[in-house]
Amino acid sequence: MKVIAFNGSARKNGNTAILLNTVLDELKKDGIETELVQLAGKAPKGCVACFKCMKNKDRKCAVTDDHLNEYLAKLLDAEGILLGSPVYFTDATAGIKALIERCGMVAMANGGLLKRKVGAGVAVARRAGAIRTFTTLNSLFLHAQMIVVGSSYWNVAIGRDPGDAEKDAEGIQTMKTLGQNMAWLMK
């Protein structure tokens, strides 16, 4: 079993990575293979609504000048998916939203490629917008007929500067519980 996590932050080793790695560490304890993909500097572009994926039905996006198809292959190979984003202007980052748009479209065009995989969104906020970001991340899972994993609270933490999220004891515990719940569900 494998879980793939996508960090939608512009900071590779910032608070979003800290939270995702906390979840991944719990999964590793249960023998689940994990991988963290950093979108920083390699984020896909948004969907151009060409609808070629609907015609081609080849499990790929027709736009090939970015890393999207590489990311899509990783999503399809995994049984579990984590999406993480900091709050940028009260929502998820443009890069993670582009991943959601295009992977969601290709999955739908090809008969529900993500159906019944396990997924969870993780958000970090300086002050506000975490629940909206959390909802944006989980929208892919719900639309794609995936199973969304919960935790002991919403999968959010507080932090602005790199490392701040580690000081949010409740947020860190929420991520640990999320990892434990995800491992249990996957097994």
Side-chain angles (χ1 to χ4, degrees):
M1 280 186 284
K2 182 173 184 176
V3 172
I4 185 80
F6 287 89
N7 179 5
S9 177
R11 295 175 176 162
K12 286 185 178 180
N13 298 308
N15 292 312
T16 306
I18 289 167
L19 298 180
L20 289 170
N21 279 317
T22 301
V23 178
L24 295 176
D25 287 346
E26 294 299 317
L27 291 161
K28 289 175 195 173
K29 289 177 187 176
D30 267 309
I32 296 172
E33 182 184 349
T34 67
E35 181 181 354
L36 176 62
V37 176
Q38 305 278 2
L39 295 184
K42 299 189 322 181
K45 298 179 286 190
C47 182
V48 296
C50 67
F51 297 106
K52 289 181 182 173
C53 58
M54 298 278 190
K55 179 182 174 192
N56 296 341
K57 297 192 184 304
D58 61 358
R59 300 167 62 108
K60 295 179 184 171
C61 180
V63 177
T64 59
D65 62 349
D66 62 13
H67 297 278
L68 190 278
N69 283 320
E70 171 192 333
Y71 300 153
L72 182 58
K74 290 178 182 292
L75 285 169
L76 297 178
D77 187 48
E79 291 79 24
I81 301 167
L82 287 169
L83 299 178
S85 181
V87 175
Y88 280 18
F89 286 88
T90 200
D91 209 341
T93 63
I96 200 82
K97 285 173 33 177
L99 180 86
I100 290 168
E101 288 174 5
R102 290 176 58 201
C103 289
M105 189 70 150
V106 171
M108 182 177 60
N110 287 272
L113 297 176
L114 302 176
K115 187 175 184 178
R116 297 194 181 109
K117 289 181 183 279
V118 175
V122 169
V124 63
R126 178 190 70 82
R127 188 163 190 82
I131 298 304
R132 181 173 173 164
T133 300
F134 176 64
T135 300
T136 295
L137 300 172
N138 285 322
S139 292
L140 170 65
F141 309 137
L142 296 168
H143 185 271
Q145 300 179 60
M146 292 176 58
I147 309 303
V148 180
V149 181
S151 185
S152 53
Y153 196 69
W154 309 117
N155 305 336
V156 302
I158 303 301
R160 184 188 77 176
D161 296 325
D164 282 353
E166 291 175 309
K167 301 171 194 166
D168 180 359
E170 184 178 6
I172 293 296
Q173 183 56 56
T174 299
M175 298 308 137
K176 288 180 179 181
T177 302
L178 175 61
Q180 294 161 7
N181 289 346
M182 192 170 201
W184 177 87
L185 182 60
M186 290 178 69
K187 289 188 166 198

